[in-house]
Amino acid sequence: MAETNAHTHIQNKPAIDHANPLARTLHAKLDYDQLTNCMRCGFCLPACPTFRETGVEPESPRGRIALMKAVADGLMDPDQAFQDQMNHCLGCRACEPVCPADVKYGQLIEQARDAIEDHAEHSAPVSGLRKLIFKGVFPHRSRLRLLGKSIAFYQKSGLRSLARGSGVMKLLPKSVREMERILPDASGQGVIERLGTVYPAKGEPIARVALFRGCVMDVLFAETNVNTVKLLSEAGFEVVIPREQACCGALHAHAGEMEQARDLARRNLEAFKDAGISYIVSNAGGCGALLVEYDHLLSEDPAYREPAREFSDRVIDVSRLLVERGRLPSFADEEANAANPVTITYQDSCHLRNVMRSSDAPRQLMKQVANVTFTEMCEADRCCGSAGIYNITQPEMAGQVLEHKMENARDTQARYLLTSNPGCLLQMKLGVEKHGNGSPMEVKHVVDFLYERIAGGGTSGKP
């Protein structure tokens, strides 16, 4: 099927010999069928965060698709303004669920960025930083652990206080300084170092599942990974954690490094192929969204096309697995009571909602916690401005989106704001710090909130 699609869009693409090198690459990489599928109906406009902020057509999915098609058709050259519009997209993919033509916009924007990156002329510092991040650190588990240990040393040794007090932090961009302030405690001890590679189910096993531990998750949110495994165990799942798994490749794909994303996908297919599992469980919407699209990512690789399809079919978000297959324990907030419940709200992970289509399951779980009132936040389905590293590369637009998001968050008067993705969690923590007006609101991953409220404390791995 994938082969048929590939041939189809090649056949329908106009034969144009572009003089501009970037136009030639865009012409080769863009899926022309998807470009022509756009009916220009405009249903995507109100769903798009950048269009809502600017009201400018080129800042919308419809506008960006029109620009891509104009380049592919030879009607315009991909100048700097074109490239800026492609990079200004958050990639939240809120346009896809509302598109009546089912245009795969997320895939188009990644193809455009991939082509742009092929011709990018970065400054030496930016080029070096990209090489360090995308090739030097994220693909290597041992280097990620070293990074975690280094950050932990910085946070706990007094270096952080020294750096802040000396003023050296002012040499960094404002967006990086803001992120440094709200960074959680890092660790070089990931989930495997803490729990091993196999964790038993509580009671009769329902199924054997595998945890996708991620890269950032296992360094900055290792405790969430641990709690995910223990919560799955409490719900009746035996959990395995393949040691050789790698970064999912989402950051690479979003940044135009598609070949590296494909290499990481192939490594993960090899790491999970002999695990003997029914599901591959993700607790990060951003990772899960790429994992379910490995079949598309490797659709033109004959050796991995079918394994990728089988892999993608088994990927599931932890909340959905718990709701649909789990033997759920009872949850209760023991510091509250029925007369004075604690209020919680939820910020959707864009990729969990718009790509994995799993927005109901987290809400179902939260509503099962005793002594808790769930208050739906206005426009919880709108992006928070995190979008991978968008809040660092495009801080002005990310800041605008976040400020509006926090207006809605404050209106809920929630004690806890929960989410299902590490990037959203960090962005919402930043929002509370910058726009919370002294609110005691605490931002948590939904898994941590649930695990800490297992009635009676649970038994899985607890003292």
mmCIF file of all heavy atoms in Angstrom, residues 260-298:
data_model
loop_
_atom_site.group_PDB
_atom_site.id
_atom_site.type_symbol
_atom_site.label_atom_id
_atom_site.label_comp_id
_atom_site.label_asym_id
_atom_site.label_seq_id
_atom_site.Cartn_x
_atom_site.Cartn_y
_atom_site.Cartn_z
ATOM 1 N N GLN A 260 18.162 10.969 10.277
ATOM 2 C CA GLN A 260 18.511 10.538 11.633
ATOM 3 C C GLN A 260 17.291 9.973 12.357
ATOM 4 O O GLN A 260 17.398 9.019 13.127
ATOM 5 C CB GLN A 260 19.088 11.716 12.406
ATOM 6 C CG GLN A 260 20.460 12.150 11.904
ATOM 7 C CD GLN A 260 20.990 13.334 12.689
ATOM 8 O OE1 GLN A 260 20.998 13.312 13.916
ATOM 9 N NE2 GLN A 260 21.423 14.360 11.997
ATOM 10 N N ALA A 261 16.118 10.578 12.119
ATOM 11 C CA ALA A 261 14.898 10.047 12.724
ATOM 12 C C ALA A 261 14.642 8.624 12.232
ATOM 13 O O ALA A 261 14.248 7.745 13.010
ATOM 14 C CB ALA A 261 13.710 10.955 12.392
ATOM 15 N N ARG A 262 14.880 8.390 10.959
ATOM 16 C CA ARG A 262 14.683 7.031 10.411
ATOM 17 C C ARG A 262 15.682 6.054 11.026
ATOM 18 O O ARG A 262 15.345 4.906 11.326
ATOM 19 C CB ARG A 262 14.801 7.053 8.885
ATOM 20 C CG ARG A 262 13.671 7.802 8.200
ATOM 21 C CD ARG A 262 13.721 7.638 6.669
ATOM 22 N NE ARG A 262 12.667 8.433 6.056
ATOM 23 C CZ ARG A 262 12.853 9.660 5.545
ATOM 24 N NH1 ARG A 262 14.056 10.205 5.556
ATOM 25 N NH2 ARG A 262 11.841 10.328 5.024
ATOM 26 N N ASP A 263 16.915 6.477 11.201
ATOM 27 C CA ASP A 263 17.923 5.598 11.813
ATOM 28 C C ASP A 263 17.501 5.203 13.229
ATOM 29 O O ASP A 263 17.639 4.035 13.628
ATOM 30 C CB ASP A 263 19.282 6.303 11.856
ATOM 31 C CG ASP A 263 19.936 6.383 10.481
ATOM 32 O OD1 ASP A 263 19.498 5.647 9.575
ATOM 33 O OD2 ASP A 263 20.861 7.192 10.315
ATOM 34 N N LEU A 264 16.991 6.163 13.991
ATOM 35 C CA LEU A 264 16.549 5.861 15.354
ATOM 36 C C LEU A 264 15.337 4.922 15.333
ATOM 37 O O LEU A 264 15.214 4.033 16.179
ATOM 38 C CB LEU A 264 16.210 7.164 16.092
ATOM 39 C CG LEU A 264 17.422 8.043 16.422
ATOM 40 C CD1 LEU A 264 16.990 9.453 16.826
ATOM 41 C CD2 LEU A 264 18.249 7.411 17.545
ATOM 42 N N ALA A 265 14.445 5.133 14.369
ATOM 43 C CA ALA A 265 13.284 4.251 14.257
ATOM 44 C C ALA A 265 13.724 2.811 14.002
ATOM 45 O O ALA A 265 13.197 1.865 14.605
ATOM 46 C CB ALA A 265 12.366 4.747 13.145
ATOM 47 N N ARG A 266 14.689 2.637 13.116
ATOM 48 C CA ARG A 266 15.184 1.282 12.826
ATOM 49 C C ARG A 266 15.789 0.652 14.082
ATOM 50 O O ARG A 266 15.584 -0.542 14.356
ATOM 51 C CB ARG A 266 16.219 1.330 11.696
ATOM 52 C CG ARG A 266 15.642 1.760 10.349
ATOM 53 C CD ARG A 266 16.698 1.670 9.237
ATOM 54 N NE ARG A 266 16.179 2.265 8.005
ATOM 55 C CZ ARG A 266 16.460 3.504 7.579
ATOM 56 N NH1 ARG A 266 17.291 4.263 8.292
ATOM 57 N NH2 ARG A 266 15.938 3.972 6.470
ATOM 58 N N ARG A 267 16.510 1.438 14.861
ATOM 59 C CA ARG A 267 17.100 0.895 16.109
ATOM 60 C C ARG A 267 16.003 0.451 17.070
ATOM 61 O O ARG A 267 16.122 -0.580 17.734
ATOM 62 C CB ARG A 267 17.983 1.961 16.768
ATOM 63 C CG ARG A 267 19.336 2.144 16.089
ATOM 64 C CD ARG A 267 20.119 3.289 16.695
ATOM 65 N NE ARG A 267 20.302 3.145 18.140
ATOM 66 C CZ ARG A 267 20.876 4.064 18.903
ATOM 67 N NH1 ARG A 267 21.318 5.188 18.350
ATOM 68 N NH2 ARG A 267 21.014 3.870 20.202
ATOM 69 N N ASN A 268 14.933 1.212 17.143
ATOM 70 C CA ASN A 268 13.859 0.833 18.059
ATOM 71 C C ASN A 268 13.111 -0.406 17.577
ATOM 72 O O ASN A 268 12.683 -1.230 18.388
ATOM 73 C CB ASN A 268 12.898 2.017 18.242
ATOM 74 C CG ASN A 268 13.468 3.055 19.192
ATOM 75 O OD1 ASN A 268 14.102 2.715 20.189
ATOM 76 N ND2 ASN A 268 13.266 4.332 18.888
ATOM 77 N N LEU A 269 12.958 -0.549 16.262
ATOM 78 C CA LEU A 269 12.316 -1.769 15.760
ATOM 79 C C LEU A 269 13.131 -2.988 16.167
ATOM 80 O O LEU A 269 12.580 -4.019 16.565
ATOM 81 C CB LEU A 269 12.184 -1.703 14.233
ATOM 82 C CG LEU A 269 11.305 -0.604 13.643
ATOM 83 C CD1 LEU A 269 11.092 -0.836 12.152
ATOM 84 C CD2 LEU A 269 9.960 -0.527 14.332
ATOM 85 N N GLU A 270 14.440 -2.880 16.058
ATOM 86 C CA GLU A 270 15.306 -4.001 16.450
ATOM 87 C C GLU A 270 15.238 -4.249 17.961
ATOM 88 O O GLU A 270 15.229 -5.389 18.415
ATOM 89 C CB GLU A 270 16.757 -3.708 16.034
ATOM 90 C CG GLU A 270 16.979 -3.636 14.534
ATOM 91 C CD GLU A 270 16.777 -4.982 13.840
ATOM 92 O OE1 GLU A 270 16.945 -6.008 14.516
ATOM 93 O OE2 GLU A 270 16.419 -4.981 12.650
ATOM 94 N N ALA A 271 15.166 -3.170 18.739
ATOM 95 C CA ALA A 271 15.188 -3.309 20.200
ATOM 96 C C ALA A 271 13.931 -3.996 20.739
ATOM 97 O O ALA A 271 13.986 -4.712 21.739
ATOM 98 C CB ALA A 271 15.333 -1.926 20.843
ATOM 99 N N PHE A 272 12.785 -3.800 20.077
ATOM 100 C CA PHE A 272 11.520 -4.327 20.599
ATOM 101 C C PHE A 272 11.065 -5.621 19.908
ATOM 102 O O PHE A 272 10.100 -6.238 20.358
ATOM 103 C CB PHE A 272 10.407 -3.273 20.430
ATOM 104 C CG PHE A 272 10.467 -2.145 21.426
ATOM 105 C CD1 PHE A 272 11.328 -1.074 21.239
ATOM 106 C CD2 PHE A 272 9.655 -2.153 22.556
ATOM 107 C CE1 PHE A 272 11.387 -0.033 22.153
ATOM 108 C CE2 PHE A 272 9.704 -1.113 23.484
ATOM 109 C CZ PHE A 272 10.576 -0.044 23.277
ATOM 110 N N LYS A 273 11.738 -6.036 18.842
ATOM 111 C CA LYS A 273 11.162 -7.088 17.998
ATOM 112 C C LYS A 273 11.063 -8.438 18.698
ATOM 113 O O LYS A 273 10.178 -9.233 18.388
ATOM 114 C CB LYS A 273 11.945 -7.218 16.693
ATOM 115 C CG LYS A 273 13.349 -7.802 16.836
ATOM 116 C CD LYS A 273 13.992 -7.951 15.454
ATOM 117 C CE LYS A 273 15.365 -8.603 15.563
ATOM 118 N NZ LYS A 273 16.010 -8.742 14.244
ATOM 119 N N ASP A 274 11.955 -8.733 19.640
ATOM 120 C CA ASP A 274 11.935 -10.037 20.306
ATOM 121 C C ASP A 274 11.446 -9.948 21.745
ATOM 122 O O ASP A 274 11.715 -10.842 22.549
ATOM 123 C CB ASP A 274 13.343 -10.656 20.269
ATOM 124 C CG ASP A 274 13.804 -10.952 18.853
ATOM 125 O OD1 ASP A 274 12.946 -11.344 18.021
ATOM 126 O OD2 ASP A 274 15.006 -10.777 18.573
ATOM 127 N N ALA A 275 10.747 -8.862 22.090
ATOM 128 C CA ALA A 275 10.331 -8.656 23.491
ATOM 129 C C ALA A 275 9.121 -9.503 23.877
ATOM 130 O O ALA A 275 8.831 -9.667 25.069
ATOM 131 C CB ALA A 275 10.033 -7.179 23.726
ATOM 132 N N GLY A 276 8.409 -10.042 22.904
ATOM 133 C CA GLY A 276 7.253 -10.884 23.218
ATOM 134 C C GLY A 276 6.143 -10.118 23.910
ATOM 135 O O GLY A 276 5.604 -10.567 24.925
ATOM 136 N N ILE A 277 5.786 -8.980 23.380
ATOM 137 C CA ILE A 277 4.852 -8.085 24.063
ATOM 138 C C ILE A 277 3.594 -7.832 23.223
ATOM 139 O O ILE A 277 3.597 -7.977 22.007
ATOM 140 C CB ILE A 277 5.529 -6.733 24.389
ATOM 141 C CG1 ILE A 277 6.403 -6.294 23.201
ATOM 142 C CG2 ILE A 277 6.427 -6.884 25.599
ATOM 143 C CD1 ILE A 277 6.073 -4.988 22.644
ATOM 144 N N SER A 278 2.514 -7.462 23.937
ATOM 145 C CA SER A 278 1.250 -7.145 23.257
ATOM 146 C C SER A 278 1.167 -5.664 22.898
ATOM 147 O O SER A 278 0.529 -5.300 21.911
ATOM 148 C CB SER A 278 0.066 -7.508 24.155
ATOM 149 O OG SER A 278 0.076 -8.874 24.487
ATOM 150 N N TYR A 279 1.760 -4.810 23.739
ATOM 151 C CA TYR A 279 1.676 -3.364 23.518
ATOM 152 C C TYR A 279 3.033 -2.713 23.794
ATOM 153 O O TYR A 279 3.824 -3.225 24.607
ATOM 154 C CB TYR A 279 0.642 -2.707 24.455
ATOM 155 C CG TYR A 279 -0.770 -3.174 24.244
ATOM 156 C CD1 TYR A 279 -1.333 -4.128 25.093
ATOM 157 C CD2 TYR A 279 -1.554 -2.661 23.209
ATOM 158 C CE1 TYR A 279 -2.635 -4.559 24.913
ATOM 159 C CE2 TYR A 279 -2.858 -3.087 23.020
ATOM 160 C CZ TYR A 279 -3.391 -4.036 23.875
ATOM 161 O OH TYR A 279 -4.682 -4.470 23.698
ATOM 162 N N ILE A 280 3.261 -1.582 23.137
ATOM 163 C CA ILE A 280 4.390 -0.711 23.439
ATOM 164 C C ILE A 280 3.793 0.551 24.046
ATOM 165 O O ILE A 280 3.043 1.273 23.383
ATOM 166 C CB ILE A 280 5.199 -0.384 22.172
ATOM 167 C CG1 ILE A 280 5.782 -1.682 21.586
ATOM 168 C CG2 ILE A 280 6.311 0.631 22.469
ATOM 169 C CD1 ILE A 280 6.297 -1.547 20.168
ATOM 170 N N VAL A 281 4.095 0.803 25.318
ATOM 171 C CA VAL A 281 3.410 1.844 26.076
ATOM 172 C C VAL A 281 4.236 3.127 26.100
ATOM 173 O O VAL A 281 5.406 3.119 26.478
ATOM 174 C CB VAL A 281 3.148 1.376 27.526
ATOM 175 C CG1 VAL A 281 2.330 2.439 28.273
ATOM 176 C CG2 VAL A 281 2.428 0.049 27.529
ATOM 177 N N SER A 282 3.602 4.208 25.713
ATOM 178 C CA SER A 282 4.233 5.536 25.770
ATOM 179 C C SER A 282 3.556 6.361 26.861
ATOM 180 O O SER A 282 2.338 6.295 27.025
ATOM 181 C CB SER A 282 4.089 6.237 24.418
ATOM 182 O OG SER A 282 4.410 7.611 24.531
ATOM 183 N N ASN A 283 4.346 7.124 27.591
ATOM 184 C CA ASN A 283 3.777 8.058 28.570
ATOM 185 C C ASN A 283 4.093 9.507 28.196
ATOM 186 O O ASN A 283 3.966 10.402 29.026
ATOM 187 C CB ASN A 283 4.272 7.748 29.985
ATOM 188 C CG ASN A 283 5.784 7.826 30.100
ATOM 189 O OD1 ASN A 283 6.471 8.257 29.166
ATOM 190 N ND2 ASN A 283 6.323 7.424 31.244
ATOM 191 N N ALA A 284 4.507 9.724 26.955
ATOM 192 C CA ALA A 284 4.829 11.067 26.454
ATOM 193 C C ALA A 284 4.158 11.233 25.091
ATOM 194 O O ALA A 284 4.519 10.530 24.141
ATOM 195 C CB ALA A 284 6.336 11.252 26.332
ATOM 196 N N GLY A 285 3.201 12.148 25.003
ATOM 197 C CA GLY A 285 2.448 12.305 23.767
ATOM 198 C C GLY A 285 3.326 12.598 22.562
ATOM 199 O O GLY A 285 3.078 12.098 21.461
ATOM 200 N N GLY A 286 4.377 13.393 22.767
ATOM 201 C CA GLY A 286 5.252 13.741 21.661
ATOM 202 C C GLY A 286 5.983 12.537 21.097
ATOM 203 O O GLY A 286 6.135 12.394 19.877
ATOM 204 N N CYS A 287 6.442 11.648 21.990
ATOM 205 C CA CYS A 287 7.120 10.422 21.533
ATOM 206 C C CYS A 287 6.110 9.477 20.874
ATOM 207 O O CYS A 287 6.348 8.959 19.782
ATOM 208 C CB CYS A 287 7.780 9.700 22.711
ATOM 209 S SG CYS A 287 9.037 10.648 23.566
ATOM 210 N N GLY A 288 4.985 9.275 21.547
ATOM 211 C CA GLY A 288 3.994 8.320 21.050
ATOM 212 C C GLY A 288 3.510 8.673 19.653
ATOM 213 O O GLY A 288 3.270 7.793 18.823
ATOM 214 N N ALA A 289 3.382 9.976 19.375
ATOM 215 C CA ALA A 289 2.870 10.398 18.069
ATOM 216 C C ALA A 289 3.816 9.999 16.942
ATOM 217 O O ALA A 289 3.360 9.696 15.834
ATOM 218 C CB ALA A 289 2.649 11.906 18.059
ATOM 219 N N LEU A 290 5.124 10.022 17.191
ATOM 220 C CA LEU A 290 6.034 9.575 16.135
ATOM 221 C C LEU A 290 6.074 8.051 16.088
ATOM 222 O O LEU A 290 6.140 7.455 15.009
ATOM 223 C CB LEU A 290 7.452 10.123 16.345
ATOM 224 C CG LEU A 290 8.366 9.831 15.141
ATOM 225 C CD1 LEU A 290 7.920 10.625 13.918
ATOM 226 C CD2 LEU A 290 9.819 10.125 15.422
ATOM 227 N N LEU A 291 6.016 7.406 17.240
ATOM 228 C CA LEU A 291 6.061 5.943 17.254
ATOM 229 C C LEU A 291 4.904 5.347 16.444
ATOM 230 O O LEU A 291 5.083 4.359 15.736
ATOM 231 C CB LEU A 291 5.996 5.421 18.694
ATOM 232 C CG LEU A 291 7.145 5.825 19.626
ATOM 233 C CD1 LEU A 291 6.920 5.258 21.025
ATOM 234 C CD2 LEU A 291 8.491 5.349 19.088
ATOM 235 N N VAL A 292 3.710 5.947 16.534
ATOM 236 C CA VAL A 292 2.571 5.403 15.768
ATOM 237 C C VAL A 292 2.692 5.732 14.279
ATOM 238 O O VAL A 292 1.916 5.202 13.483
ATOM 239 C CB VAL A 292 1.207 5.922 16.295
ATOM 240 C CG1 VAL A 292 0.981 5.503 17.724
ATOM 241 C CG2 VAL A 292 1.089 7.432 16.148
ATOM 242 N N GLU A 293 3.663 6.573 13.933
ATOM 243 C CA GLU A 293 3.853 6.895 12.511
ATOM 244 C C GLU A 293 5.167 6.334 11.963
ATOM 245 O O GLU A 293 5.623 6.758 10.908
ATOM 246 C CB GLU A 293 3.774 8.410 12.308
ATOM 247 C CG GLU A 293 2.360 8.956 12.567
ATOM 248 C CD GLU A 293 2.156 10.382 12.090
ATOM 249 O OE1 GLU A 293 3.147 11.141 12.053
ATOM 250 O OE2 GLU A 293 1.011 10.728 11.766
ATOM 251 N N TYR A 294 5.766 5.392 12.694
ATOM 252 C CA TYR A 294 6.960 4.734 12.148
ATOM 253 C C TYR A 294 6.635 4.060 10.816
ATOM 254 O O TYR A 294 7.491 3.938 9.943
ATOM 255 C CB TYR A 294 7.487 3.685 13.142
ATOM 256 C CG TYR A 294 8.483 4.211 14.164
ATOM 257 C CD1 TYR A 294 8.765 5.572 14.283
ATOM 258 C CD2 TYR A 294 9.148 3.327 15.021
ATOM 259 C CE1 TYR A 294 9.666 6.041 15.219
ATOM 260 C CE2 TYR A 294 10.055 3.785 15.965
ATOM 261 C CZ TYR A 294 10.315 5.139 16.065
ATOM 262 O OH TYR A 294 11.227 5.593 17.003
ATOM 263 N N ASP A 295 5.387 3.601 10.658
ATOM 264 C CA ASP A 295 5.025 2.954 9.392
ATOM 265 C C ASP A 295 5.136 3.936 8.226
ATOM 266 O O ASP A 295 5.584 3.571 7.140
ATOM 267 C CB ASP A 295 3.613 2.368 9.471
ATOM 268 C CG ASP A 295 2.565 3.397 9.868
ATOM 269 O OD1 ASP A 295 2.933 4.459 10.409
ATOM 270 O OD2 ASP A 295 1.364 3.131 9.652
ATOM 271 N N HIS A 296 4.766 5.183 8.471
ATOM 272 C CA HIS A 296 4.928 6.200 7.415
ATOM 273 C C HIS A 296 6.397 6.581 7.267
ATOM 274 O O HIS A 296 6.894 6.704 6.143
ATOM 275 C CB HIS A 296 4.106 7.444 7.757
ATOM 276 C CG HIS A 296 4.421 8.614 6.865
ATOM 277 N ND1 HIS A 296 3.984 8.702 5.563
ATOM 278 C CD2 HIS A 296 5.170 9.732 7.086
ATOM 279 C CE1 HIS A 296 4.431 9.813 5.017
ATOM 280 N NE2 HIS A 296 5.146 10.460 5.916
ATOM 281 N N LEU A 297 7.081 6.746 8.397
ATOM 282 C CA LEU A 297 8.481 7.177 8.371
ATOM 283 C C LEU A 297 9.344 6.217 7.559
ATOM 284 O O LEU A 297 10.261 6.634 6.855
ATOM 285 C CB LEU A 297 9.005 7.272 9.813
ATOM 286 C CG LEU A 297 10.344 7.958 10.048
ATOM 287 C CD1 LEU A 297 10.287 9.429 9.664
ATOM 288 C CD2 LEU A 297 10.765 7.829 11.522
ATOM 289 N N LEU A 298 9.046 4.905 7.646
ATOM 290 C CA LEU A 298 9.860 3.901 6.971
ATOM 291 C C LEU A 298 9.117 3.251 5.804
ATOM 292 O O LEU A 298 9.438 2.129 5.403
ATOM 293 C CB LEU A 298 10.301 2.834 7.985
ATOM 294 C CG LEU A 298 11.174 3.358 9.130
ATOM 295 C CD1 LEU A 298 11.439 2.256 10.160
ATOM 296 C CD2 LEU A 298 12.501 3.916 8.604
#
